[in-house]
Amino acid sequence: MAAMGAMGVMAAVGALPAGAGSLPPLPTLGVPGVPELKPLTRYEAMRLGPGWSHSCHAMLYAPNPGMLFGRIPLRYAVLMQMRFDGLLGFPGGFVDRRYWSLEDGLNRVLGLGLGCVRLTEADYLCSHLTDGPHRVVAHLYARQLTLEELHTIEISAVHSRDHGLEVMGMVRVPLYTQKDRMGGLPNFLANSFVGTAKFQLLFALKILNMVPEEKLAEAVAATQKPKKPAIDHAAVAAAKQANELAAAARAGNEYADSAENQAAAHAAAELAEQQAAGLESQAVLEHLAAVPGAEAVVAELHAQPGADSVLEQPVAEAME
């Protein structure tokens, strides 16, 4: 913390007079997968001019000796808040530089959301230029408290004016990673954050030596691994219905084919019966013709209307 206090003081002072040497480069995040924001000193930020807006936020934290499930060290309790828009962020907001200093404006906002904390220039941590079309410089302050003090602020926040309106509630950041490589900090980082809040969280955790840089990189990398696509139950139901319709159509075609085959078989059977009947009739006639005295019977059969076509046609069809 002593080193961080020195860094904060140097950042607040800004550029040194000519000939007095120069400040060391401002620290950067350096975590793969997280776009860098341009750092600048507090002095430089104050010289940006009236065309720039200033947002000031506070990270309140406390050493936490607790153990999750009796085996996972919690190490620190870090406060963030769930906003009205469903995004995570630090307590704070925009400060109108025409009427307030950075710290006075920040404390005014904190009083609405937390109710019982005041920060000073000594708590200043860093400033960064934000990406995007808006000309905004984001300032972050950090204050270490005792766990009891932090818990008091959590209770006070529930009774603040903004609770349930602009602020849905305070949350603690899990700084550990579970064995599945996602539980804890990786899952927390997978949430949606407002503005520079995610960058500021990672930056503060690194600069304040609260989480090793390699652990931060692992947590960020875990959130960027491709996830299995979510099951579209509507699409599955539609595909099932389409398969059922296709199966029904195939069954209908098979039924139609079967009906056609049955009709054809029935027609063939009728034809066969007719042919058999014709052959039998011819055989009877031939047999009668061979019987003495039956000529009159045969002649009478042929004399009946249509008898020749009925008796002879099936024989012709059979022969063909």
Side-chain angles (χ1 to χ4, degrees), residues 47 59 73 299:
R47 297 184 61 188
M59 187 181 89

Side-chain angles (χ1 to χ4, degrees), residues 281 285 300-314:
S281 299
L285 291 174
E300 184 178 351
L301 289 174
H302 281 290
Q304 295 180 2
D308 292 339
S309 61
V310 172
L311 295 176
E312 297 176 2
Q313 183 65 26

Side-chain angles (χ1 to χ4, degrees), residues 28-29 34-37 128 195-204:
T28 57
L29 178 57
V34 180
E36 286 285 354
L37 298 180
H128 291 89
T196 60
K198 183 176 181 179
F199 176 90
Q200 289 176 322
L201 171 63
L202 294 170
F203 184 85

